[in-house]
Amino acid sequence: MRAARLIRMVLLLQARPSMTGAELARELEVSERTVARDVLSLSEAGVPVYADRGRAGGYRLIGGYRTRLTGLGRSEAEALFLSGVPSALREMGLADAASAARLKVSAALLPELRDAATGAAQRFHLDAPGWYQEPGTPALLPVIAEAVWDDRRIAARYLRKDTEVERELEPYGLVLKAGVWYLAARTEGDHRVYRVDRFTAVELAGSGRTSDADDGGRFTRDVSFDLPAFWAERAAQFARSILREEVVLRLSPSGVRQLPYVTERAAAHEAIARARSADGPDELGRLTVTLAVESAEVAFAQLLTLGPEGEILAPPGLRERFASAARRTTALYA
C-alpha cells in the first residue's frame, strides 16, 4: 500500500513543476504529516525530492529526474492496455498515436510483463456500437477531435431538424454513446450537446481569420467543467423529457421482473418502487404501476412483449388496442 503511494507521489511530481504538501495530501488521500514522512523516505531511497520553504514553497524533483514504469504490476499493466475503445481512437484519428504510446509503455515494462498487451486484448474487447447498427464514422469527427484536444473554437454549420444553422462553438469534449458521437460545447455562455453526424461543415478558428489572430483561435477552458457529470445530467434530462405520457398496468411477478428490460429502465424501476411503497402487490402478487412512456404508440410496441404478464388498465384506447391484439393472436392459434 505504502509502496504504491510512493510511486504515485513520484509520478505526480514528475507531472507538475511543484506541489505543496496540502496538494499532495489531497491527491494521495493522506495527511500532510504522512506526505512529509513519505518525502523523507524517497530522499533516503535516492529519489531527489527537494522541499522549498516559505509561502510559495512546495515539493519538487530536481535534476530532471524521471522514473521508469517498473513499478507496474501485471494487473495494472493489463488494465492500462484496456483503457480505451480501439474503434473510438481510430475514428478520432488517434490510432497511430495510441499505437506508439502502447509500444513505448511496453518497452518501459519489466520483461516478464511485456505480454500484458496481448493478454488483455485476447481476453477483453470493447465494442461500442449497439446491435443492429451499421457503425459509421462521422466525416467531421477528426477535425472536431483536433479542436477538442487543442481547445480551439470552431465555426460550424449544423442540421437542426430540416434547417441548417451556423454556430460559433467552444468544443469541450466528445462522448461516444451506443455507437453515436456527441459533442459537448459551450456557446453563448451555455454548455450544450450536439450530434456529430449532424455537422455539415466545421472550420477551426485561427486558420486565417483576422479576429482570431491574437489567441490563435483558442479559448480558455472552464476548469470547473466535468464532462462525465455534465453528460450524466444531460442524459437524465433527455430521458425524462421524452417520457411525456403515462400508462397504468397490472403486472404479474414475472412481469415486474421483465418490465425494466422492455421499456426505459430508469422509468420502470421508478414506477415499480413507487407502486411497492404505496399499495404493494395484491393477494395474487400482482403489482399495479403507473409507468412514464414516450407515447402510446411506443408503449404498445414495448409492452406487447410482456404478453399475459402485463395487463393495460389505462388509458382506455391503449387497453382496447391490446385487447384487439390479444383477440387476433388467439384467432391465429385457435
Side-chain angles (χ1 to χ4, degrees):
M1 185 74 174
R2 186 172 185 237
R5 188 173 71 242
L6 292 173
I7 292 171
R8 283 189 62 200
M9 179 181 288
V10 174
L11 293 175
L12 284 169
L13 292 174
Q14 280 186 189
R16 307 180 194 181
S18 177
M19 293 185 70
T20 66
E23 290 172 336
L24 283 168
R26 186 164 55 250
E27 289 280 356
L28 300 172
E29 299 180 350
V30 296
S31 67
E32 291 187 49
R33 185 183 296 272
T34 299
V35 168
R37 286 198 298 265
D38 286 350
V39 167
L40 181 60
S41 297
L42 287 172
S43 296
E44 292 173 348
V47 178
V49 182
Y50 178 77
D52 286 319
R53 305 295 180 182
R55 175 177 295 182
Y59 297 101
R60 61 187 178 89
L61 293 172
I62 59 175
Y65 178 84
R66 308 291 293 178
T67 183
R68 290 169 61 85
L69 296 178
T70 51
L72 282 176
R74 173 166 294 278
S75 61
E76 293 169 325
E78 290 174 340
L80 178 63
F81 285 104
L82 282 174
S83 58
V85 182
S87 60
L89 293 171
R90 184 170 57 253
E91 290 177 5
M92 288 190 292
L94 298 174
D96 290 342
S99 176
R102 284 192 293 270
L103 287 172
K104 290 178 180 179
V105 172
S106 296
L109 291 173
L110 292 171
E112 61 267 25
L113 298 181
R114 288 177 185 166
D115 65 339
T118 304
Q122 295 305 318
R123 287 169 175 79
F124 302 98
H125 176 68
L126 304 177
D127 186 8
W131 290 108
Y132 312 117
Q133 295 181 8
E134 187 66 30
T137 303
L140 296 172
L141 178 61
V143 67
I144 292 174
E146 179 183 348
V148 170
W149 277 116
D150 292 342
D151 292 339
R152 291 177 65 178
R153 294 188 297 274
I154 58 175
R157 291 203 299 272
Y158 184 80
L159 283 177
R160 187 177 297 280
K161 295 184 178 178
D162 296 327
T163 304
E164 190 175 64
V165 297
E166 294 188 359
R167 291 287 184 268
E168 293 280 341
L169 303 175
E170 296 177 352
Y172 267 64
L174 285 163
V175 175
L176 179 61
K177 171 71 172 180
V180 180
W181 284 97
Y182 296 88
L183 172 68
R186 185 170 63 183
T187 179
E188 300 176 353
D190 187 27
H191 289 93
R192 302 176 187 176
V193 176
Y194 301 86
R195 275 187 62 144
V196 173
D197 58 7
R198 291 182 183 166
F199 284 100
T200 58
V202 173
E203 180 184 355
L204 290 173
S207 56
R209 292 182 298 168
T210 56
S211 61
D212 298 319
D214 293 338
D215 57 10
R218 287 175 171 79
F219 63 92
T220 301
R221 178 177 287 264
D222 179 1
V223 296
S224 66
F225 179 78
D226 184 331
L227 180 59
F230 170 79
W231 177 258
E233 179 185 351
R234 290 305 171 93
Q237 288 177 359
F238 174 76
R240 290 193 297 269
S241 70
I242 64 173
L243 303 179
R244 303 184 183 92
E245 299 184 26
E246 289 185 341
V247 171
V248 180
L249 65 157
R250 186 158 47 218
L251 299 167
S252 69
S254 177
V256 171
R257 292 191 296 271
Q258 293 178 44
L259 187 64
Y261 298 98
V262 302
T263 187
E264 208 280 321
R265 188 177 295 264
H269 285 303
E270 184 178 337
I272 291 169
R274 279 200 313 266
R276 282 175 171 160
S277 63
D279 299 329
D282 62 15
E283 64 279 3
L284 299 178
R286 299 175 302 180
L287 192 67
T288 300
V289 305
T290 301
L291 176 70
V293 297
E294 184 176 346
S295 66
E297 192 67 33
V298 171
F300 177 75
Q302 292 176 337
L303 300 177
L304 195 63
T305 61
L306 292 174
E309 309 303 331
E311 178 189 0
I312 303 297
L313 303 179
L318 185 59
R319 178 180 173 85
E320 177 52 37
R321 285 193 67 181
F322 271 80
S324 175
R327 289 191 293 268
R328 296 198 307 272
T329 302
T330 301
L332 286 174
Y333 290 95

